Amino acid sequence: MSSTDDEEKAPGTAASGAEGPRSGPAEASGAGDQAGAIPLKAVDDIGRATAQDVQEALHQVIDPELGIDVVDLGLVYGIEIDELGRAIITMTLTTPACPLTDLIEDQCASSLAGLVEEFRIDWTWTPRWTLDMITPDGKEQLAAIGFNFADMPTYE
């Protein structure tokens, strides 16, 4: 595994850090082919939850309006495990006016209970969330409940 200060990351992604959230998957690739690639960073994986473990747990956090998890919706921009084993999650919502922030935070607390001692969500609105950030699995789930991406408006 990794040693102190080594970065753990998903293939093809850059790790997040103090510099702030990365550009969205669509912006990084130009075509959205990295949708769902979340930068992961862990200081010390030995005996602790990893950023990958946190990402997997966040699949249990369901957006109450759409019924799809926050990872597959592309709402999670980055996960970091600091030197004390705390999870710092950088994420957004589909709109800054979303009234469900507290509900999503409560779901995060439930899904991360027993995995990490503490966590923090750093809410960000940059980059702006777009449909291009939804993972292929998320798009399949949305199509199964009736969303037709071919008829969705595009914004530039």
Side-chain angles (χ1 to χ4, degrees), residues 57-65 68-70 100-113 119 121:
L58 291 176
H59 278 287
Q60 299 173 36
V61 178
I62 306 300
D63 180 283
E65 292 178 314
I68 308 298
D69 71 79
V70 296
L100 302 170
T101 306
D102 291 340
L103 182 60
I104 291 175
E105 286 177 349
D106 290 346
Q107 285 188 46
C108 287
S110 294
S111 70
L112 297 174
F119 76 98
I121 298 175

Side-chain angles (χ1 to χ4, degrees), residues 26 31-36 68-69 71-74 129-150 152:
D33 60 322
Q34 291 183 340
I68 308 298
D69 71 79
V71 174
D72 285 332
L73 278 176
W129 180 85
T130 67
L131 294 173
D132 295 331
M133 294 177 175
I134 302 172
T135 67
D137 285 344
K139 288 180 180 179
E140 285 180 24
Q141 294 170 54
L142 287 168
I145 60 172
F147 281 85
N148 183 350
F149 284 91
M152 299 297 258

Side-chain angles (χ1 to χ4, degrees), residues 35-119:
I38 299 170
L40 307 174
K41 180 179 179 182
V43 174
D44 181 4
D45 296 339
I46 299 173
R48 294 185 181 168
T50 65
Q52 185 67 39
D53 295 332
V54 171
Q55 178 180 353
E56 191 63 33
L58 291 176
H59 278 287
Q60 299 173 36
V61 178
I62 306 300
D63 180 283
E65 292 178 314
L66 296 172
I68 308 298
D69 71 79
V70 296
V71 174
D72 285 332
L73 278 176
L75 300 178
V76 178
Y77 287 178
I79 300 168
E80 180 178 344
I81 307 296
D82 71 8
E83 64 278 353
L84 299 176
R86 298 175 293 203
I88 298 111
I89 303 161
T90 303
M91 72 186 294
T92 194
L93 296 169
T94 55
T95 175
C98 180
L100 302 170
T101 306
D102 291 340
L103 182 60
I104 291 175
E105 286 177 349
D106 290 346
Q107 285 188 46
C108 287
S110 294
S111 70
L112 297 174
L115 185 61
V116 293
E117 292 281 329
E118 295 179 47
F119 76 98

